[in-house]
Amino acid sequence: MSDSIRQFVVGPIETNCYAYISEGECLVVDPGASGAAVARSLEDVNVTLVVATHRHHDHVCGVRALVELTGAPWAIGAIDAEGATKAIEFASHYVNADSLEECDPPAADRQLHEGDVLKVGTATFTVIETPGHTEGGICLVGGGSADGICFVGDTLFKGSCGRVDLMGGDSQQMEQSLQRLKRELPPQTTIFCGHGDATTMEEELQSNPFLQ
């Protein structure tokens, strides 16, 4: 059975949540603010790990509901781990907290570092640290049956990149992270972004002003 990806657009600012499924196992990336709904949509698979690409509320507010309903552990970049547990404090500066589901992410079961490898079925995902949008942002580079894809969170968007004017943002680090993606991801890589449409590295190399 071939691998598959399910996409859910969740929360008040339309965050992309992805479920990567391989041999009945499932890795959920960025559950946003709709953990319970995502869990209901994945009742036919075994969710083995939940990962957030960074600590912002629109990527982690659904973690608690998702892990409680599935029993899966969750992981985030080590530098963002503490901040993720305080996501509601950050959210209150930008959205009405009443519009979110309960936003109380638990402490991460695993803190991720450069070079860590996550496995789901016959797929692997290697963690690369890409600070800039937040201090501890990460991307997940696919290998094995996931070769040729990358989950980039809010580091890279189609035609753009993540904001650096929020708390923890750093324009110099963002530039370095984008140049790293430019060097290390093959042009044929499919890029799954934290917001908006998916793209390819080839398309971004040709048209994205932040990769020039």
Side-chain angles (χ1 to χ4, degrees):
M1 184 179 297
S2 61
D3 294 2
S4 62
I5 299 174
R6 300 179 191 175
Q7 179 180 348
F8 312 95
V9 180
V10 298
I13 57 175
E14 299 187 334
T15 300
N16 290 330
C17 169
Y18 300 101
Y20 189 94
I21 301 166
S22 178
E23 295 194 330
E25 296 183 349
C26 177
L27 167 70
V28 178
V29 180
D30 290 334
S34 303
V38 170
R40 289 192 295 269
S41 297
L42 296 173
E43 290 178 347
D44 59 323
V45 296
N46 178 24
V47 178
T48 57
L49 184 63
V50 177
V51 177
T53 57
H54 62 286
R55 61 177 171 79
H56 285 162
H57 67 280
D58 57 312
H59 291 253
V60 303
C61 280
V63 167
R64 181 176 291 277
L66 182 58
V67 300
E68 287 181 351
L69 289 168
T70 63
W74 91 278
I76 190 171
I79 297 174
D80 270 6
E82 181 178 357
T85 65
K86 304 174 182 177
I88 191 63
E89 298 176 14
F90 178 84
S92 65
H93 294 290
Y94 300 96
V95 296
N96 181 350
D98 292 338
S99 69
L100 298 171
E101 290 184 2
E102 181 179 353
C103 189
D104 182 27
D109 299 291
R110 181 176 177 184
Q111 297 186 13
L112 300 174
H113 299 84
E114 175 76 26
D116 285 349
V117 177
L118 312 176
K119 296 183 179 181
V120 53
T122 56
T124 63
F125 291 92
T126 300
V127 173
I128 63 172
E129 296 176 349
T130 52
H133 183 60
T134 65
E135 307 94 327
I138 60 172
C139 294
L140 304 176
V141 182
S145 56
D147 186 48
I149 75 169
C150 185
F151 295 111
V152 298
D154 288 3
T155 298
L156 179 64
F157 297 130
K158 185 173 184 177
S160 187
C161 70
R163 293 174 62 174
V164 296
D165 60 334
L166 302 176
M167 183 173 59
D170 185 292
S171 59
Q172 184 175 1
Q173 286 187 327
M174 177 62 83
E175 182 178 358
Q176 292 171 348
S177 292
L178 292 171
Q179 289 303 311
R180 181 179 185 186
L181 294 181
K182 181 178 178 178
R183 291 192 309 270
E184 297 185 11
L185 295 183
Q188 65 270 23
T189 303
T190 300
I191 304 297
F192 291 96
C193 309
H195 301 271
D197 295 335
T199 184
T200 66
M201 201 63 193
E202 181 176 26
E203 181 177 347
E204 298 314 299
L205 290 171
Q206 293 174 351
S207 62
N208 191 323
F210 295 95
L211 291 178
Q212 305 309 309

